[in-house]
Amino acid sequence: MKILFLHPNFPAQFRHLATVLAKNPSHEVVFGTMRPEGALPGVKKAYYQPTRQAGTDTHRYVRPLENAILQGQAVYRMAQELKADGFYPHVVYAHSGWGPGLFVKDIFPKARYVGYFEWFYHAHGSDADFDPADPLAADDEARIRVKNAPILLDLAACDAGITPTHWQHQQFPPELQSKLTVIHDGVDTEYFQPQPGAKLVLPTLGLDLSHVDEVITYVARGMEPYRGFPQFMETVMQLQQRRPNCHVVIVGEDRVAYGKSLPNGRTYKQKALEELDLDLSRIHFTGLLPYAQYRQVLQASSVHVYLTRPFVLSWSLLEAMATGCAVVASSTAPVEEVITDGTHGLLADFFSPEDIAAQVETILDCPDQAASMRAQARETVLARFDLAQCLTAQLAHLSA
């Protein structure tokens, strides 16, 4: 079988599936992407690049759609070259939203088109209107509605679709949900597993916390309100005042991956460091880490804090649970799908640093309760998100 993956990043959500397919010598796997970095064994990369970005004179509601169309055109040109070289896929698997799959059925009409659908946008009832301090205007409501245009085009064109969680599935229009199957990307639970007594030592960063008994960890792609970074930093300030021996390790980049940026190029990290009374000698910003070092952070964690608006569930939460972290998380819908308060972790009010700090201290002060939650967290990931079973489901869906 010939399989074409399409995603502007590489390997993104398709890492495990592309890898296992490429191990079969009867398969030919090509990955169309905009990113030249990285490689997977047996996977051939093909590159595409839009000729331009959406014009500044384009109506701002429509710019995401114009960018998706430009990306779809770039994929079409790349696909023409593949076709000329004799590659005609049996299956095309594309991430919806950015536009790489928009014209799959035009260039490869006989191929089975499977879409990966991560999110459907709503002005009300999920992420966009979650923060009462950031109300929506009519202009925002209209813009958010139009943002679904490339996703709806993919839903109409694809033969089948996958979405990773039931919460994300529920965001799609009810009349279209039957086209989508809930199958998670999967967590490598053999790699992400507990290491009792682990201490955090990262020589390349000059970080040695081997002498520290209370290590609070936080992981996100960016430092932004969508993942509760401002609330987390206020939580840290409170914890530092009450627990003089605790240290905090923050993994991620000083940028905004989702949501609004601050004006004048200021970052949320800069804002927190300027406005909060923090002991910076006990806060360690690592930036993005290689997988092995990231796993060390999770294995050495005393308490792992995960906060999110009602939005896409992060891989990092499930990886932390698989690693046996004692988790304090926001009591928001995507989290509540995987964590029952008091069983798999403790839940807290997203907007209350006081509540988050209190739950962190509960774990630090109650090691027996924490041990039970650590074990239950890993068991949940093993039962519902283990990579082997998720891959089995993905492969069955792909060839259906």
Side-chain angles (χ1 to χ4, degrees), residues 150-174:
I151 299 168
L152 288 167
L153 287 169
D154 282 335
L155 274 167
C158 74
D159 297 289
I162 282 178
T163 193
T165 71
H166 292 282
W167 156 251
Q168 287 162 252
H169 183 263
Q170 291 167 14
Q171 305 313 302
F172 289 84

Side-chain angles (χ1 to χ4, degrees), residues 138-149:
D139 189 56
D140 297 310
E141 294 175 333
R143 174 185 55 79
I144 289 169
R145 181 174 296 280
V146 176
K147 199 169 181 179
N148 287 311

Side-chain angles (χ1 to χ4, degrees), residues 67-145:
N67 279 324
I69 290 169
L70 289 164
Q71 188 166 150
Q73 288 179 320
V75 169
Y76 192 99
R77 293 190 292 271
M78 178 203 74
Q80 284 181 310
E81 295 178 5
L82 291 174
K83 204 172 180 180
D85 290 338
F87 181 84
Y88 194 110
H90 299 93
V91 178
V92 179
Y93 199 164
H95 190 295
S96 180
W98 287 299
L102 283 181
F103 308 118
V104 162
K105 281 297 190 180
D106 301 293
I107 187 69
F108 297 126
K110 296 179 181 179
R112 184 168 187 263
Y113 173 24
V114 178
Y116 184 97
F117 293 91
E118 196 166 25
W119 191 244
F120 194 87
Y121 296 92
H122 294 272
H124 300 286
S126 57
D127 60 318
D129 66 340
F130 179 65
D131 187 348
D134 186 22
L136 295 179
D139 189 56
D140 297 310
E141 294 175 333
R143 174 185 55 79
I144 289 169
R145 181 174 296 280

Side-chain angles (χ1 to χ4, degrees), residues 1-2 10 46 48 92 143 162 209 217 239 247 254 276 297 313 318 336 346:
M1 184 165 65
K2 295 181 179 181
F10 177 89
Y48 65 87
V92 179
R143 174 185 55 79
I162 282 178
L209 298 184
T217 57
L239 289 169
H247 282 247
D254 185 16
L276 300 178
V297 170
L313 188 72
L318 296 178
E336 291 170 339
L346 296 179

Side-chain angles (χ1 to χ4, degrees), residues 214 250 322:
E214 295 181 354
I250 298 172

